[in-house]
Amino acid sequence: MTQAAWNTTQPAEPAKEQLPATNCSGTTPEAFDVIYRQHFTAIAGYLYRRTGNQDLAEDIAADTFLAAWKALPRYQSTGVPIRSWLLRIATNKANAVARRDRIRRRVFGRIPVRQQTDKADDVLDWLYPALARLRPQHQSVVSLVHLEGLSIEQVARVLNLPEGTVKSRLHRARAILKHELTCQGENL
Amino acid sequence: MKRTAPTITNKQLDELLAQAHQRQWAGPDNSPEINHYLKGLTMKSQPNRLLSHSALILLGIGAIGGGSLAAAVTHTIMSRSAVLITQDGTEYNVELLETPDGASGTFVTNDGSTFDIDIVDQEVTVDVNSPQGGTSTVILDNGMTPSISTDPGQTASFKIDQSNDEKPSESDE
């Protein structure tokens, strides 16, 4: 198989890579395969830490890379590091799932949030239901800052938002999360 | 009387989040769905390389191991089924069967065209015997290189004749 030249020294936040030679659809599948294999684990890991559910994370990661393949021709003009760009797509996909879950809960009442069955972990089983009750945009900033360890500046780049907006959302999200955790404690 | 839980502090929240931050991805490092999708795209990107226009197929299995070719073939035959995917995305079921010399066989396409195959060494990029599946390369006599891919649980088949001295019985060229 012809492997397109691609920067294989993968830093956490690489500079914008030069895309390899493209075919009529924008980019060769071989080139995208390199991107996919370099970043799949990182993206799946992010989604796992955000959702707490490995199967769900795997599904969303697959959706992320399918969407990335389709959007890759447009990536060349965004000027965003590839990892940030993939995190943005993954975040949007995770937000869509979170939004559906919230609608389901609104329609069917206060049903339990998506079951976290990966491992018995009381503490995290306490955190994830509360996290899932946040608005998707709040889940995003909490996940990217606290679960991924990104700086405010990096999160702003991923979400394409001003840093001030990220800070205010994070402050608000933490307050709501504390409230949700406290309510959960009362209901135990 | 309603029990009131103490409000969680910032420190407690940070501790909880730090624990979640420690969670490591223990799942697969790729997605079968994406692999399959990309494989199809790769084949479609080379539509001029159609299996139906070739007469002789050389099946490369060089990555199977350093032992004798016959032994490697036998191992492959006994352990794996496969799908042959041409570069236009067409998939053919193939089943690897044991053969005395392990060196040739017949491949029949959907349109009934029959091709002889030879097994050659050092022509493969991925071990088709991998328990996780893998990809092998079929080298056609005109230089085309469709691939044979195996995934866990696949039930494809590739039939090899007992003779290795047959010539292509027909060609659609």
Side-chain angles (χ1 to χ4, degrees), chain A residues 30 33 36-37 40-41 48-49 52 54 58 62 66 69 123-124 128 146-147 174 178 182 185-186 188, chain B residues 3 5 8 10 13-14 16-17 19-21 23-25 27-31 33-35 37-38 41-42:
Chain A
E30 291 87 350
D33 187 67
Y36 151 62
R37 292 187 188 283
F40 181 84
T41 303
Y48 175 51
R49 284 182 286 278
Q54 182 173 310
E58 207 174 326
L66 283 176
W69 161 253
V123 175
L124 295 178
Y128 280 107
H146 291 295
L147 307 186
R174 284 178 58 95
K178 284 199 299 184
T182 301
E186 288 177 349
L188 285 178
Chain B
R3 179 170 62 92
I8 188 170
N10 277 326
L13 177 61
D14 286 335
L16 269 178
L17 292 168
Q19 286 189 48
H21 175 63
R23 297 190 111 183
Q24 295 296 315
W25 175 247
D29 62 1
N30 63 81
S31 159
E33 184 184 356
I34 301 293
N35 295 344
Y37 185 76
L38 287 177
L41 289 174
T42 301

Side-chain angles (χ1 to χ4, degrees), chain B residues 51-52 54 57 84 86 92 107-115 172:
Chain B
L51 178 66
S52 59
S54 62
I57 303 170
L84 188 149
T86 59
Y92 297 97
F107 171 66
V108 182
T109 62
N110 289 344
D111 64 3
S113 301
T114 304
F115 306 104
D172 57 357

Side-chain angles (χ1 to χ4, degrees), chain B residues 5-157:
Chain B
T7 302
I8 188 170
T9 65
N10 277 326
K11 185 182 176 199
Q12 289 171 318
L13 177 61
D14 286 335
E15 286 171 356
L16 269 178
L17 292 168
Q19 286 189 48
H21 175 63
Q22 297 301 319
R23 297 190 111 183
Q24 295 296 315
W25 175 247
D29 62 1
N30 63 81
S31 159
E33 184 184 356
I34 301 293
N35 295 344
H36 186 76
Y37 185 76
L38 287 177
K39 197 181 294 171
L41 289 174
T42 301
M43 301 309 167
K44 285 176 184 170
S45 69
Q46 299 163 344
N48 56 326
R49 297 183 173 181
L50 298 177
L51 178 66
S52 59
H53 293 296
S54 62
L56 182 65
I57 303 170
L58 303 178
L59 171 64
I61 54 168
I64 286 174
S68 71
L69 180 59
V73 171
T74 299
H75 182 56
T76 302
I77 288 167
M78 298 303 289
S79 62
R80 300 301 300 178
S81 295
V83 171
L84 188 149
I85 304 169
T86 59
Q87 277 132 328
D88 63 350
T90 307
E91 295 189 7
Y92 297 97
N93 291 334
V94 294
E95 179 181 321
L96 299 174
L97 300 175
E98 187 170 3
T99 173
D101 52 25
S104 72
T106 301
F107 171 66
V108 182
T109 62
N110 289 344
D111 64 3
S113 301
T114 304
F115 306 104
D116 279 2
I117 61 170
D118 286 328
I119 310 292
V120 294
D121 203 355
Q122 304 303 320
E123 296 288 353
V124 166
T125 54
V126 181
D127 184 350
V128 295
N129 276 328
S130 166
Q132 285 78 41
T135 300
S136 179
T137 302
V138 176
I139 311 294
L140 305 184
D141 63 341
N142 61 1
M144 300 178 193
T145 56
S147 63
I148 286 180
S149 296
T150 58
D151 290 327
Q154 271 189 329
T155 56
S157 62

Side-chain angles (χ1 to χ4, degrees), chain A residues 1-40:
Chain A
M1 176 186 290
T2 304
Q3 287 288 350
W6 190 265
N7 179 12
T8 56
T9 54
Q10 163 54 32
E13 281 290 318
K16 182 177 182 294
E17 292 91 344
Q18 188 66 43
L19 283 173
T22 60
N23 60 12
C24 59
S25 66
T27 305
T28 62
E30 291 87 350
F32 183 72
D33 187 67
V34 176
I35 301 171
Y36 151 62
R37 292 187 188 283
Q38 278 184 350
H39 295 278
F40 181 84

